Amino acid sequence: MQHAQPIPFEPQVIRSNLELWFTQHARVLPWRENPSPYAVLVSEFMLQQTQVTTVIPYFQRWMSQFPTIQTLAAAQESDVLKLWQGLGYYSRARNLQAAARKIFTDFHGQIPSNPLDLKKLPGVGHYTAGAIAAFAFDLPVPAIDANIARVLARLTDFQHPIDTPSGLDVLTQAAKSLLPQTQKGGRALTGALMELGALLCSPKRPRCADCPIRSDCKTTNPENLPIKSPKKKTVALLEKALWILANDSVLLTQQTGKRSHGLWKLPICEIPPETTPIFETIYPFTHHRITLHVFAAPPPNSLDPQDRWFPISSVLEEAPLPAAHRRAIKTLIHAHSQPPTHSTIS
Ligand code: SF4
């Protein structure tokens, strides 16, 4: 399928207007103050699917506990997961540590600057490689995240889905044509485009009157852009787990699957109990909407190798837990210390 090409624009004018605006309006962010390759690597992993304001305290705690690639590479996986607790999508934390280890084994402890080498690191895809090359090494390479995609689609009035290979290709060409044709300069331009998308060119009600590139922007209906392919239908799932207490300890099971390897969960209940759940919560996961039901159960006669008792006084500090199970355990520990009731907690 042929896609419309972006409307030609004046890259130098747009670039200088964007960069001037950026120097005046850029937010102060910890990874921007000192964009060392390691700080940029960590921030880019954390920012995947997570808001800047949520990431800032996690980033600060992370840099204080694991200040270098070396400390991260040598850390226990359980410490890495605990520090990530609350950010979700734990595969990012495991990939970040695996990337640190690969940097030692394959790149002499130095984060590579070349996007092709960066893409050899676990968890580093096309966008993240471009972002690290631009922000950490100031290279003029494109890095298109959701904010930049929105700005470019509106700037060029791109009337096709942006989340297809051909749509992304058109936006990449637009980004390339805006980048300086020199050895450096990727940091300011990429940062400016991203910040414009975050602060002014928002999905709803963009502040076009304040936009530094308004006179070059081709769209007349920004809220209709960017166009995306139809979303996958949300699928409802039910997860059943057990609340098993003995001697003021709770039984948890360590996960071995790809997505939640190393995390601890309440034991999953394979056979549906006949009783009413004592706790329920709903959480999203990719295109699933999962309802977690927790049922009280007696201790089992024997434990599986991946089972372990955790004292309820320290389980929340000790065990890295996915958010929904953490919520359940916190609520049920609180309920355990209260007079008994018969209602479901959620
Ligand atoms: S003029 Fe409006 S739609 Fe165009 S880039 Fe600026 S904020 Fe976005």
Side-chain angles (χ1 to χ4, degrees):
M1 178 171 57
Q2 281 288 322
H3 277 171
Q5 291 303 304
I7 296 163
F9 42 54
E10 288 294 331
Q12 281 169 346
V13 176
I14 294 175
R15 189 161 60 239
S16 66
N17 286 342
L18 271 174
E19 291 180 1
L20 177 62
W21 174 83
F22 188 53
T23 55
Q24 294 165 342
H25 295 91
R27 290 166 294 178
V28 177
L29 301 174
W31 48 90
R32 264 190 198 151
E33 284 175 329
N34 170 23
S36 71
Y38 177 59
V40 171
L41 178 80
V42 172
S43 66
E44 285 301 331
F45 269 71
M46 288 188 170
L47 286 163
Q48 289 165 15
Q49 302 173 51
T50 310
Q51 303 256 344
V52 166
T53 46
T54 306
V55 164
I56 290 173
Y58 281 91
F59 176 83
Q60 287 166 329
R61 282 196 292 271
W62 187 279
M63 295 304 277
S64 115
Q65 186 157 340
F66 306 126
T68 59
I69 288 265
Q70 194 155 22
T71 49
L72 175 58
Q76 295 286 331
E77 187 187 65
S78 57
D79 291 336
V80 169
L81 294 177
K82 252 186 279 166
L83 212 54
W84 199 270
Q85 196 162 252
L87 273 179
Y89 296 99
Y90 287 83
S91 57
R92 292 180 295 166
R94 281 189 293 272
N95 278 336
L96 181 51
Q97 188 179 39
R101 288 174 176 168
K102 193 170 174 71
I103 287 163
F104 266 95
T105 54
D106 295 9
F107 297 100
H108 312 290
Q110 300 295 315
I111 297 176
S113 59
N114 182 331
L116 290 176
D117 285 337
L118 283 162
K119 278 201 269 184
K120 293 175 187 162
L121 301 175
V124 175
H126 200 66
Y127 160 74
T128 306
I132 295 169
F135 292 135
F137 299 100
D138 200 21
L139 297 181
V141 296
I144 300 180
D145 74 341
N147 281 327
I148 294 185
R150 187 167 59 254
V151 171
L152 292 175
R154 290 171 174 178
L155 183 63
T156 60
D157 197 28
F158 186 55
Q159 298 289 337
H160 299 274
I162 59 164
D163 51 359
T164 61
S166 54
L168 185 61
D169 197 42
V170 171
L171 295 190
T172 303
Q173 292 311 319
K176 278 185 180 165
S177 66
L178 281 178
L179 283 162
Q181 307 303 307
T182 53
Q183 301 294 310
K184 296 278 176 190
R187 183 183 294 140
L189 192 270
T190 307
L193 279 171
M194 211 173 266
E195 201 73 338
L196 188 78
L199 300 184
L200 297 185
C201 196
S202 41
K204 299 232 178 328
R205 289 197 287 276
R207 290 166 49 197
C208 299
D210 299 326
C211 180
I213 54 173
R214 185 183 180 189
S215 58
D216 292 285
C217 185
K218 306 298 179 200
T219 184
T220 52
N221 202 344
E223 289 206 26
N224 285 358
L225 292 175
I227 294 169
K228 292 186 186 163
S229 308
K231 269 191 184 170
K232 256 190 178 175
K233 221 176 149 199
T234 303
V235 178
L237 292 178
L238 180 60
E239 181 182 15
K240 295 175 177 175
L242 299 175
W243 176 248
I244 303 173
L245 282 184
N247 302 321
D248 280 334
S249 293
V250 58
L251 187 65
L252 299 184
T253 301
Q254 193 164 38
Q255 305 302 295
T256 52
K258 195 178 165 207
R259 286 189 188 276
S260 50
H261 182 88
L263 297 178
W264 292 88
K265 280 185 171 185
L266 295 167
I268 296 302
C269 167
E270 306 293 351
I271 303 159
E274 298 298 315
T275 50
T276 310
I278 55 169
F279 176 89
E280 73 172 57
T281 189
I282 294 173
Y283 64 97
F285 190 77
T286 59
H287 65 290
H288 297 104
R289 184 175 182 273
I290 302 174
T291 302
L292 170 66
H293 280 175
V294 182
F295 301 87
N301 294 330
S302 61
L303 299 187
D304 288 337
Q306 62 271 29
D307 291 344
R308 189 180 137 190
W309 294 102
F310 285 81
I312 56 173
S313 56
S314 60
V315 61
L316 293 171
E317 289 77 45
E318 242 186 279
L321 302 157
H325 284 248
R326 183 179 179 76
R327 213 155 46 235
I329 292 167
K330 200 172 173 183
T331 306
L332 291 169
I333 287 175
H334 180 73
H336 178 68
S337 63
Q338 306 296 313
T341 65
H342 296 291
S343 54
T344 297
I345 306 159
S346 58

